[in-house]
Amino acid sequence: MSDQNLVMVSDADFEDKVLNSEQPVLVDFYADWCGPCKMIAPFLTELADEFKGKVKIAKLNVDQNVQAASRFGVRSIPTLILFENGEQKEMMVGADPTKIRQIVNNAA
């Protein structure tokens, strides 16, 4: 298991890597100091490996990239948002692996 299939995004490349993606993208809005964010990080890495080629799993640090977080109304972390064809399709707040898997399965 490695982070090679996990995509790191920033305010600068959010449009290119997420909104213009041909695949659905699940973005984890997180911070390094967030306990629940750290808890789901290995799970997201597993999903990135499992759904490679079907659904991208991306991470965006909200402390370093406030524009994207603000643009999509992220108020609590972890917040996960699924984007398809440049549009926000689903949003969840919290570290619930069962719900995260459900969102990714539905997008795949």
mmCIF file of all heavy atoms in Angstrom, residues 38-88:
data_model
loop_
_atom_site.group_PDB
_atom_site.id
_atom_site.type_symbol
_atom_site.label_atom_id
_atom_site.label_comp_id
_atom_site.label_asym_id
_atom_site.label_seq_id
_atom_site.Cartn_x
_atom_site.Cartn_y
_atom_site.Cartn_z
ATOM 1 N N LYS A 38 -6.429 12.090 10.209
ATOM 2 C CA LYS A 38 -5.332 11.124 10.273
ATOM 3 C C LYS A 38 -5.881 9.699 10.334
ATOM 4 O O LYS A 38 -5.295 8.779 9.772
ATOM 5 C CB LYS A 38 -4.457 11.395 11.488
ATOM 6 C CG LYS A 38 -3.625 12.647 11.384
ATOM 7 C CD LYS A 38 -2.807 12.839 12.644
ATOM 8 C CE LYS A 38 -2.085 14.172 12.605
ATOM 9 N NZ LYS A 38 -1.345 14.410 13.839
ATOM 10 N N MET A 39 -7.014 9.535 11.032
ATOM 11 C CA MET A 39 -7.595 8.206 11.198
ATOM 12 C C MET A 39 -8.027 7.603 9.859
ATOM 13 O O MET A 39 -7.828 6.421 9.618
ATOM 14 C CB MET A 39 -8.805 8.298 12.136
ATOM 15 C CG MET A 39 -9.426 6.970 12.479
ATOM 16 S SD MET A 39 -10.928 7.180 13.460
ATOM 17 C CE MET A 39 -12.129 7.400 12.157
ATOM 18 N N ILE A 40 -8.591 8.424 8.956
ATOM 19 C CA ILE A 40 -9.085 7.888 7.677
ATOM 20 C C ILE A 40 -8.042 7.899 6.572
ATOM 21 O O ILE A 40 -8.265 7.340 5.502
ATOM 22 C CB ILE A 40 -10.369 8.602 7.188
ATOM 23 C CG1 ILE A 40 -10.127 10.090 6.927
ATOM 24 C CG2 ILE A 40 -11.517 8.343 8.146
ATOM 25 C CD1 ILE A 40 -11.263 10.770 6.188
ATOM 26 N N ALA A 41 -6.881 8.500 6.811
ATOM 27 C CA ALA A 41 -5.848 8.596 5.768
ATOM 28 C C ALA A 41 -5.447 7.232 5.199
ATOM 29 O O ALA A 41 -5.415 7.072 3.975
ATOM 30 C CB ALA A 41 -4.638 9.367 6.279
ATOM 31 N N PRO A 42 -5.164 6.212 6.026
ATOM 32 C CA PRO A 42 -4.806 4.910 5.448
ATOM 33 C C PRO A 42 -5.945 4.292 4.642
ATOM 34 O O PRO A 42 -5.721 3.656 3.610
ATOM 35 C CB PRO A 42 -4.474 4.039 6.669
ATOM 36 C CG PRO A 42 -4.229 4.988 7.777
ATOM 37 C CD PRO A 42 -5.042 6.210 7.478
ATOM 38 N N PHE A 43 -7.170 4.503 5.085
ATOM 39 C CA PHE A 43 -8.347 3.993 4.367
ATOM 40 C C PHE A 43 -8.451 4.648 2.988
ATOM 41 O O PHE A 43 -8.739 3.983 1.988
ATOM 42 C CB PHE A 43 -9.614 4.229 5.198
ATOM 43 C CG PHE A 43 -10.869 3.818 4.503
ATOM 44 C CD1 PHE A 43 -11.152 2.471 4.298
ATOM 45 C CD2 PHE A 43 -11.768 4.760 4.043
ATOM 46 C CE1 PHE A 43 -12.311 2.084 3.645
ATOM 47 C CE2 PHE A 43 -12.924 4.379 3.395
ATOM 48 C CZ PHE A 43 -13.207 3.041 3.191
ATOM 49 N N LEU A 44 -8.213 5.953 2.927
ATOM 50 C CA LEU A 44 -8.277 6.657 1.637
ATOM 51 C C LEU A 44 -7.186 6.170 0.694
ATOM 52 O O LEU A 44 -7.408 6.058 -0.514
ATOM 53 C CB LEU A 44 -8.192 8.166 1.848
ATOM 54 C CG LEU A 44 -9.385 8.794 2.561
ATOM 55 C CD1 LEU A 44 -9.122 10.259 2.863
ATOM 56 C CD2 LEU A 44 -10.660 8.628 1.758
ATOM 57 N N THR A 45 -6.020 5.848 1.245
ATOM 58 C CA THR A 45 -4.942 5.297 0.422
ATOM 59 C C THR A 45 -5.367 3.953 -0.164
ATOM 60 O O THR A 45 -5.132 3.676 -1.344
ATOM 61 C CB THR A 45 -3.650 5.154 1.250
ATOM 62 O OG1 THR A 45 -3.267 6.454 1.714
ATOM 63 C CG2 THR A 45 -2.524 4.559 0.432
ATOM 64 N N GLU A 46 -6.016 3.115 0.653
ATOM 65 C CA GLU A 46 -6.533 1.828 0.164
ATOM 66 C C GLU A 46 -7.543 2.034 -0.956
ATOM 67 O O GLU A 46 -7.505 1.338 -1.978
ATOM 68 C CB GLU A 46 -7.221 1.055 1.297
ATOM 69 C CG GLU A 46 -6.306 0.409 2.278
ATOM 70 C CD GLU A 46 -7.076 -0.278 3.395
ATOM 71 O OE1 GLU A 46 -8.200 -0.776 3.149
ATOM 72 O OE2 GLU A 46 -6.557 -0.300 4.525
ATOM 73 N N LEU A 47 -8.466 2.984 -0.760
ATOM 74 C CA LEU A 47 -9.474 3.262 -1.798
ATOM 75 C C LEU A 47 -8.821 3.745 -3.082
ATOM 76 O O LEU A 47 -9.248 3.366 -4.179
ATOM 77 C CB LEU A 47 -10.482 4.310 -1.314
ATOM 78 C CG LEU A 47 -11.530 3.871 -0.316
ATOM 79 C CD1 LEU A 47 -12.435 5.054 0.042
ATOM 80 C CD2 LEU A 47 -12.363 2.720 -0.838
ATOM 81 N N ALA A 48 -7.800 4.592 -2.951
ATOM 82 C CA ALA A 48 -7.099 5.111 -4.137
ATOM 83 C C ALA A 48 -6.499 3.964 -4.937
ATOM 84 O O ALA A 48 -6.548 3.967 -6.175
ATOM 85 C CB ALA A 48 -6.024 6.107 -3.718
ATOM 86 N N ASP A 49 -5.949 2.969 -4.235
ATOM 87 C CA ASP A 49 -5.382 1.803 -4.917
ATOM 88 C C ASP A 49 -6.484 0.947 -5.530
ATOM 89 O O ASP A 49 -6.389 0.513 -6.675
ATOM 90 C CB ASP A 49 -4.557 0.957 -3.942
ATOM 91 C CG ASP A 49 -3.289 1.661 -3.468
ATOM 92 O OD1 ASP A 49 -2.866 2.627 -4.130
ATOM 93 O OD2 ASP A 49 -2.742 1.242 -2.438
ATOM 94 N N GLU A 50 -7.538 0.712 -4.766
ATOM 95 C CA GLU A 50 -8.622 -0.172 -5.202
ATOM 96 C C GLU A 50 -9.398 0.390 -6.396
ATOM 97 O O GLU A 50 -9.803 -0.351 -7.286
ATOM 98 C CB GLU A 50 -9.587 -0.389 -4.024
ATOM 99 C CG GLU A 50 -10.704 -1.352 -4.300
ATOM 100 C CD GLU A 50 -11.611 -1.533 -3.089
ATOM 101 O OE1 GLU A 50 -11.166 -1.312 -1.948
ATOM 102 O OE2 GLU A 50 -12.777 -1.893 -3.296
ATOM 103 N N PHE A 51 -9.599 1.700 -6.423
ATOM 104 C CA PHE A 51 -10.428 2.307 -7.465
ATOM 105 C C PHE A 51 -9.612 3.028 -8.537
ATOM 106 O O PHE A 51 -10.153 3.827 -9.302
ATOM 107 C CB PHE A 51 -11.454 3.254 -6.840
ATOM 108 C CG PHE A 51 -12.559 2.529 -6.141
ATOM 109 C CD1 PHE A 51 -12.457 2.190 -4.801
ATOM 110 C CD2 PHE A 51 -13.697 2.152 -6.831
ATOM 111 C CE1 PHE A 51 -13.469 1.497 -4.154
ATOM 112 C CE2 PHE A 51 -14.713 1.460 -6.203
ATOM 113 C CZ PHE A 51 -14.603 1.132 -4.855
ATOM 114 N N LYS A 52 -8.319 2.733 -8.589
ATOM 115 C CA LYS A 52 -7.450 3.349 -9.600
ATOM 116 C C LYS A 52 -8.054 3.129 -10.990
ATOM 117 O O LYS A 52 -8.455 2.030 -11.347
ATOM 118 C CB LYS A 52 -6.059 2.721 -9.542
ATOM 119 C CG LYS A 52 -5.097 3.317 -10.537
ATOM 120 C CD LYS A 52 -3.745 2.650 -10.471
ATOM 121 C CE LYS A 52 -2.835 3.277 -11.510
ATOM 122 N NZ LYS A 52 -1.565 2.585 -11.582
ATOM 123 N N GLY A 53 -8.149 4.218 -11.763
ATOM 124 C CA GLY A 53 -8.710 4.125 -13.105
ATOM 125 C C GLY A 53 -10.225 4.303 -13.143
ATOM 126 O O GLY A 53 -10.800 4.448 -14.213
ATOM 127 N N LYS A 54 -10.863 4.310 -11.975
ATOM 128 C CA LYS A 54 -12.329 4.472 -11.908
ATOM 129 C C LYS A 54 -12.733 5.751 -11.187
ATOM 130 O O LYS A 54 -13.562 6.507 -11.675
ATOM 131 C CB LYS A 54 -12.964 3.274 -11.194
ATOM 132 C CG LYS A 54 -12.772 1.966 -11.919
ATOM 133 C CD LYS A 54 -13.383 0.834 -11.111
ATOM 134 C CE LYS A 54 -13.012 -0.500 -11.740
ATOM 135 N NZ LYS A 54 -13.119 -1.600 -10.803
ATOM 136 N N VAL A 55 -12.154 5.936 -10.012
ATOM 137 C CA VAL A 55 -12.427 7.123 -9.197
ATOM 138 C C VAL A 55 -11.104 7.601 -8.614
ATOM 139 O O VAL A 55 -10.363 6.813 -8.040
ATOM 140 C CB VAL A 55 -13.410 6.814 -8.028
ATOM 141 C CG1 VAL A 55 -13.650 8.061 -7.179
ATOM 142 C CG2 VAL A 55 -14.728 6.256 -8.543
ATOM 143 N N LYS A 56 -10.801 8.896 -8.779
ATOM 144 C CA LYS A 56 -9.597 9.466 -8.174
ATOM 145 C C LYS A 56 -9.906 9.810 -6.716
ATOM 146 O O LYS A 56 -10.980 10.317 -6.411
ATOM 147 C CB LYS A 56 -9.195 10.767 -8.869
ATOM 148 C CG LYS A 56 -8.458 10.608 -10.147
ATOM 149 C CD LYS A 56 -7.926 11.981 -10.552
ATOM 150 C CE LYS A 56 -7.801 12.130 -12.030
ATOM 151 N NZ LYS A 56 -7.417 13.489 -12.409
ATOM 152 N N ILE A 57 -8.943 9.555 -5.857
ATOM 153 C CA ILE A 57 -9.032 9.986 -4.467
ATOM 154 C C ILE A 57 -7.976 11.082 -4.296
ATOM 155 O O ILE A 57 -6.796 10.864 -4.578
ATOM 156 C CB ILE A 57 -8.769 8.834 -3.475
ATOM 157 C CG1 ILE A 57 -9.647 7.617 -3.792
ATOM 158 C CG2 ILE A 57 -8.956 9.313 -2.039
ATOM 159 C CD1 ILE A 57 -11.132 7.806 -3.640
ATOM 160 N N ALA A 58 -8.435 12.259 -3.862
ATOM 161 C CA ALA A 58 -7.541 13.410 -3.752
ATOM 162 C C ALA A 58 -7.603 13.990 -2.344
ATOM 163 O O ALA A 58 -8.594 13.827 -1.637
ATOM 164 C CB ALA A 58 -7.935 14.472 -4.776
ATOM 165 N N LYS A 59 -6.534 14.659 -1.964
ATOM 166 C CA LYS A 59 -6.472 15.318 -0.666
ATOM 167 C C LYS A 59 -6.102 16.780 -0.865
ATOM 168 O O LYS A 59 -5.248 17.101 -1.684
ATOM 169 C CB LYS A 59 -5.433 14.635 0.227
ATOM 170 C CG LYS A 59 -5.812 13.210 0.601
ATOM 171 C CD LYS A 59 -4.740 12.527 1.413
ATOM 172 C CE LYS A 59 -4.571 13.058 2.802
ATOM 173 N NZ LYS A 59 -5.589 12.668 3.760
ATOM 174 N N LEU A 60 -6.760 17.651 -0.077
ATOM 175 C CA LEU A 60 -6.468 19.079 -0.128
ATOM 176 C C LEU A 60 -6.320 19.577 1.306
ATOM 177 O O LEU A 60 -7.247 19.439 2.107
ATOM 178 C CB LEU A 60 -7.583 19.844 -0.840
ATOM 179 C CG LEU A 60 -7.344 21.348 -0.938
ATOM 180 C CD1 LEU A 60 -7.576 21.816 -2.358
ATOM 181 C CD2 LEU A 60 -8.220 22.113 0.020
ATOM 182 N N ASN A 61 -5.153 20.129 1.628
ATOM 183 C CA ASN A 61 -4.894 20.665 2.960
ATOM 184 C C ASN A 61 -5.565 22.035 3.082
ATOM 185 O O ASN A 61 -5.190 22.975 2.384
ATOM 186 C CB ASN A 61 -3.380 20.766 3.181
ATOM 187 C CG ASN A 61 -3.020 21.205 4.570
ATOM 188 O OD1 ASN A 61 -3.603 22.123 5.127
ATOM 189 N ND2 ASN A 61 -2.029 20.546 5.133
ATOM 190 N N VAL A 62 -6.548 22.145 3.977
ATOM 191 C CA VAL A 62 -7.323 23.383 4.085
ATOM 192 C C VAL A 62 -6.531 24.525 4.704
ATOM 193 O O VAL A 62 -6.854 25.693 4.476
ATOM 194 C CB VAL A 62 -8.646 23.170 4.868
ATOM 195 C CG1 VAL A 62 -9.550 22.191 4.140
ATOM 196 C CG2 VAL A 62 -8.401 22.720 6.296
ATOM 197 N N ASP A 63 -5.496 24.202 5.481
ATOM 198 C CA ASP A 63 -4.674 25.263 6.064
ATOM 199 C C ASP A 63 -3.824 25.954 5.004
ATOM 200 O O ASP A 63 -3.519 27.130 5.119
ATOM 201 C CB ASP A 63 -3.757 24.705 7.160
ATOM 202 C CG ASP A 63 -4.528 24.321 8.420
ATOM 203 O OD1 ASP A 63 -5.625 24.880 8.640
ATOM 204 O OD2 ASP A 63 -4.045 23.449 9.157
ATOM 205 N N GLN A 64 -3.441 25.222 3.980
ATOM 206 C CA GLN A 64 -2.584 25.763 2.930
ATOM 207 C C GLN A 64 -3.374 26.202 1.697
ATOM 208 O O GLN A 64 -2.834 26.865 0.819
ATOM 209 C CB GLN A 64 -1.552 24.716 2.515
ATOM 210 C CG GLN A 64 -0.635 24.307 3.639
ATOM 211 C CD GLN A 64 0.184 23.070 3.326
ATOM 212 O OE1 GLN A 64 0.032 22.456 2.271
ATOM 213 N NE2 GLN A 64 1.044 22.690 4.246
ATOM 214 N N ASN A 65 -4.658 25.818 1.615
ATOM 215 C CA ASN A 65 -5.468 26.079 0.415
ATOM 216 C C ASN A 65 -6.869 26.519 0.824
ATOM 217 O O ASN A 65 -7.829 25.766 0.711
ATOM 218 C CB ASN A 65 -5.543 24.803 -0.436
ATOM 219 C CG ASN A 65 -4.177 24.330 -0.874
ATOM 220 O OD1 ASN A 65 -3.589 24.874 -1.793
ATOM 221 N ND2 ASN A 65 -3.653 23.319 -0.188
ATOM 222 N N VAL A 66 -6.965 27.766 1.263
ATOM 223 C CA VAL A 66 -8.245 28.241 1.802
ATOM 224 C C VAL A 66 -9.275 28.558 0.712
ATOM 225 O O VAL A 66 -10.475 28.518 0.974
ATOM 226 C CB VAL A 66 -8.046 29.463 2.726
ATOM 227 C CG1 VAL A 66 -7.278 29.074 3.975
ATOM 228 C CG2 VAL A 66 -7.348 30.599 2.004
ATOM 229 N N GLN A 67 -8.830 28.855 -0.494
ATOM 230 C CA GLN A 67 -9.784 29.238 -1.544
ATOM 231 C C GLN A 67 -10.737 28.103 -1.900
ATOM 232 O O GLN A 67 -11.946 28.308 -1.959
ATOM 233 C CB GLN A 67 -9.052 29.708 -2.802
ATOM 234 C CG GLN A 67 -8.375 31.041 -2.646
ATOM 235 C CD GLN A 67 -7.570 31.425 -3.879
ATOM 236 O OE1 GLN A 67 -7.009 30.568 -4.568
ATOM 237 N NE2 GLN A 67 -7.492 32.713 -4.153
ATOM 238 N N ALA A 68 -10.215 26.918 -2.165
ATOM 239 C CA ALA A 68 -11.074 25.787 -2.549
ATOM 240 C C ALA A 68 -11.991 25.411 -1.397
ATOM 241 O O ALA A 68 -13.176 25.147 -1.602
ATOM 242 C CB ALA A 68 -10.240 24.591 -2.988
ATOM 243 N N ALA A 69 -11.458 25.383 -0.190
ATOM 244 C CA ALA A 69 -12.271 25.040 0.977
ATOM 245 C C ALA A 69 -13.419 26.042 1.138
ATOM 246 O O ALA A 69 -14.572 25.659 1.355
ATOM 247 C CB ALA A 69 -11.409 24.995 2.231
ATOM 248 N N SER A 70 -13.126 27.298 0.983
ATOM 249 C CA SER A 70 -14.146 28.346 1.103
ATOM 250 C C SER A 70 -15.157 28.254 -0.033
ATOM 251 O O SER A 70 -16.374 28.357 0.195
ATOM 252 C CB SER A 70 -13.466 29.713 1.106
ATOM 253 O OG SER A 70 -14.421 30.733 1.118
ATOM 254 N N ARG A 71 -14.674 28.038 -1.239
ATOM 255 C CA ARG A 71 -15.536 27.967 -2.422
ATOM 256 C C ARG A 71 -16.609 26.880 -2.294
ATOM 257 O O ARG A 71 -17.735 27.053 -2.754
ATOM 258 C CB ARG A 71 -14.666 27.703 -3.650
ATOM 259 C CG ARG A 71 -15.414 27.531 -4.940
ATOM 260 C CD ARG A 71 -14.450 27.322 -6.089
ATOM 261 N NE ARG A 71 -15.137 27.043 -7.326
ATOM 262 C CZ ARG A 71 -14.519 26.742 -8.453
ATOM 263 N NH1 ARG A 71 -13.203 26.698 -8.517
ATOM 264 N NH2 ARG A 71 -15.212 26.480 -9.542
ATOM 265 N N PHE A 72 -16.261 25.767 -1.644
ATOM 266 C CA PHE A 72 -17.193 24.651 -1.535
ATOM 267 C C PHE A 72 -17.808 24.524 -0.142
ATOM 268 O O PHE A 72 -18.404 23.509 0.188
ATOM 269 C CB PHE A 72 -16.517 23.352 -1.984
ATOM 270 C CG PHE A 72 -16.137 23.407 -3.434
ATOM 271 C CD1 PHE A 72 -14.839 23.634 -3.814
ATOM 272 C CD2 PHE A 72 -17.109 23.294 -4.418
ATOM 273 C CE1 PHE A 72 -14.490 23.733 -5.154
ATOM 274 C CE2 PHE A 72 -16.775 23.394 -5.758
ATOM 275 C CZ PHE A 72 -15.471 23.613 -6.127
ATOM 276 N N GLY A 73 -17.703 25.574 0.659
ATOM 277 C CA GLY A 73 -18.402 25.632 1.934
ATOM 278 C C GLY A 73 -17.901 24.668 2.990
ATOM 279 O O GLY A 73 -18.667 24.233 3.843
ATOM 280 N N VAL A 74 -16.610 24.359 2.950
ATOM 281 C CA VAL A 74 -16.045 23.450 3.948
ATOM 282 C C VAL A 74 -15.884 24.213 5.261
ATOM 283 O O VAL A 74 -15.139 25.178 5.331
ATOM 284 C CB VAL A 74 -14.689 22.875 3.472
ATOM 285 C CG1 VAL A 74 -14.035 22.052 4.576
ATOM 286 C CG2 VAL A 74 -14.892 22.049 2.212
ATOM 287 N N ARG A 75 -16.608 23.761 6.292
ATOM 288 C CA ARG A 75 -16.570 24.418 7.597
ATOM 289 C C ARG A 75 -15.983 23.514 8.678
ATOM 290 O O ARG A 75 -15.523 23.995 9.703
ATOM 291 C CB ARG A 75 -17.975 24.841 8.017
ATOM 292 C CG ARG A 75 -18.681 25.667 6.970
ATOM 293 C CD ARG A 75 -19.279 26.918 7.546
ATOM 294 N NE ARG A 75 -20.016 27.706 6.572
ATOM 295 C CZ ARG A 75 -19.501 28.437 5.618
ATOM 296 N NH1 ARG A 75 -18.210 28.458 5.439
ATOM 297 N NH2 ARG A 75 -20.252 29.141 4.804
ATOM 298 N N SER A 76 -16.064 22.217 8.470
ATOM 299 C CA SER A 76 -15.518 21.229 9.409
ATOM 300 C C SER A 76 -14.672 20.244 8.618
ATOM 301 O O SER A 76 -14.912 20.036 7.437
ATOM 302 C CB SER A 76 -16.644 20.453 10.088
ATOM 303 O OG SER A 76 -17.497 21.308 10.792
ATOM 304 N N ILE A 77 -13.710 19.650 9.315
ATOM 305 C CA ILE A 77 -12.902 18.627 8.650
ATOM 306 C C ILE A 77 -12.884 17.370 9.500
ATOM 307 O O ILE A 77 -13.029 17.463 10.719
ATOM 308 C CB ILE A 77 -11.475 19.129 8.350
ATOM 309 C CG1 ILE A 77 -10.816 19.702 9.610
ATOM 310 C CG2 ILE A 77 -11.482 20.144 7.234
ATOM 311 C CD1 ILE A 77 -9.369 20.050 9.437
ATOM 312 N N PRO A 78 -12.760 16.223 8.899
ATOM 313 C CA PRO A 78 -12.660 16.031 7.451
ATOM 314 C C PRO A 78 -14.011 16.237 6.760
ATOM 315 O O PRO A 78 -15.042 15.821 7.269
ATOM 316 C CB PRO A 78 -12.199 14.584 7.308
ATOM 317 C CG PRO A 78 -12.726 13.896 8.527
ATOM 318 C CD PRO A 78 -12.694 14.935 9.619
ATOM 319 N N THR A 79 -13.964 16.892 5.610
ATOM 320 C CA THR A 79 -15.109 16.978 4.707
ATOM 321 C C THR A 79 -14.671 16.311 3.413
ATOM 322 O O THR A 79 -13.585 16.582 2.916
ATOM 323 C CB THR A 79 -15.518 18.440 4.434
ATOM 324 O OG1 THR A 79 -16.052 19.008 5.634
ATOM 325 C CG2 THR A 79 -16.556 18.535 3.330
ATOM 326 N N LEU A 80 -15.514 15.434 2.904
ATOM 327 C CA LEU A 80 -15.222 14.754 1.642
ATOM 328 C C LEU A 80 -16.285 15.135 0.632
ATOM 329 O O LEU A 80 -17.490 15.061 0.930
ATOM 330 C CB LEU A 80 -15.175 13.237 1.847
ATOM 331 C CG LEU A 80 -13.985 12.820 2.713
ATOM 332 C CD1 LEU A 80 -14.431 12.545 4.122
ATOM 333 C CD2 LEU A 80 -13.283 11.641 2.122
ATOM 334 N N ILE A 81 -15.854 15.568 -0.538
ATOM 335 C CA ILE A 81 -16.777 15.983 -1.600
ATOM 336 C C ILE A 81 -16.456 15.195 -2.860
ATOM 337 O O ILE A 81 -15.300 15.125 -3.281
ATOM 338 C CB ILE A 81 -16.680 17.499 -1.887
ATOM 339 C CG1 ILE A 81 -16.959 18.314 -0.611
ATOM 340 C CG2 ILE A 81 -17.651 17.888 -2.998
ATOM 341 C CD1 ILE A 81 -16.822 19.817 -0.793
ATOM 342 N N LEU A 82 -17.505 14.632 -3.434
ATOM 343 C CA LEU A 82 -17.373 13.911 -4.701
ATOM 344 C C LEU A 82 -17.721 14.862 -5.837
ATOM 345 O O LEU A 82 -18.781 15.488 -5.821
ATOM 346 C CB LEU A 82 -18.310 12.705 -4.738
ATOM 347 C CG LEU A 82 -18.288 11.927 -6.063
ATOM 348 C CD1 LEU A 82 -16.971 11.177 -6.220
ATOM 349 C CD2 LEU A 82 -19.458 10.976 -6.145
ATOM 350 N N PHE A 83 -16.811 14.966 -6.799
ATOM 351 C CA PHE A 83 -17.020 15.789 -7.988
ATOM 352 C C PHE A 83 -17.113 14.884 -9.202
ATOM 353 O O PHE A 83 -16.301 13.971 -9.361
ATOM 354 C CB PHE A 83 -15.858 16.768 -8.187
ATOM 355 C CG PHE A 83 -15.747 17.806 -7.110
ATOM 356 C CD1 PHE A 83 -14.999 17.575 -5.971
ATOM 357 C CD2 PHE A 83 -16.401 19.019 -7.249
ATOM 358 C CE1 PHE A 83 -14.892 18.527 -4.967
ATOM 359 C CE2 PHE A 83 -16.306 19.987 -6.249
ATOM 360 C CZ PHE A 83 -15.553 19.737 -5.106
ATOM 361 N N GLU A 84 -18.113 15.125 -10.045
ATOM 362 C CA GLU A 84 -18.239 14.422 -11.322
ATOM 363 C C GLU A 84 -18.523 15.464 -12.397
ATOM 364 O O GLU A 84 -19.393 16.311 -12.231
ATOM 365 C CB GLU A 84 -19.390 13.415 -11.277
ATOM 366 C CG GLU A 84 -19.096 12.192 -10.440
ATOM 367 C CD GLU A 84 -20.217 11.165 -10.531
ATOM 368 O OE1 GLU A 84 -20.512 10.716 -11.654
ATOM 369 O OE2 GLU A 84 -20.785 10.830 -9.492
ATOM 370 N N ASN A 85 -17.773 15.391 -13.489
ATOM 371 C CA ASN A 85 -17.951 16.322 -14.609
ATOM 372 C C ASN A 85 -17.922 17.777 -14.147
ATOM 373 O O ASN A 85 -18.712 18.592 -14.609
ATOM 374 C CB ASN A 85 -19.258 16.017 -15.349
ATOM 375 C CG ASN A 85 -19.268 14.609 -15.890
ATOM 376 O OD1 ASN A 85 -18.287 14.144 -16.447
ATOM 377 N ND2 ASN A 85 -20.387 13.927 -15.714
ATOM 378 N N GLY A 86 -17.028 18.081 -13.222
ATOM 379 C CA GLY A 86 -16.857 19.454 -12.768
ATOM 380 C C GLY A 86 -17.886 19.936 -11.775
ATOM 381 O O GLY A 86 -17.875 21.096 -11.390
ATOM 382 N N GLU A 87 -18.791 19.070 -11.348
ATOM 383 C CA GLU A 87 -19.843 19.484 -10.429
ATOM 384 C C GLU A 87 -19.774 18.704 -9.127
ATOM 385 O O GLU A 87 -19.449 17.523 -9.109
ATOM 386 C CB GLU A 87 -21.220 19.252 -11.063
ATOM 387 C CG GLU A 87 -21.487 20.119 -12.262
ATOM 388 C CD GLU A 87 -22.890 19.887 -12.819
ATOM 389 O OE1 GLU A 87 -23.739 19.312 -12.108
ATOM 390 O OE2 GLU A 87 -23.123 20.282 -13.963
ATOM 391 N N GLN A 88 -20.136 19.396 -8.051
ATOM 392 C CA GLN A 88 -20.208 18.746 -6.744
ATOM 393 C C GLN A 88 -21.443 17.846 -6.724
ATOM 394 O O GLN A 88 -22.561 18.300 -6.957
ATOM 395 C CB GLN A 88 -20.312 19.813 -5.659
ATOM 396 C CG GLN A 88 -20.386 19.256 -4.267
ATOM 397 C CD GLN A 88 -20.420 20.348 -3.217
ATOM 398 O OE1 GLN A 88 -19.820 21.406 -3.389
ATOM 399 N NE2 GLN A 88 -21.127 20.090 -2.140
#
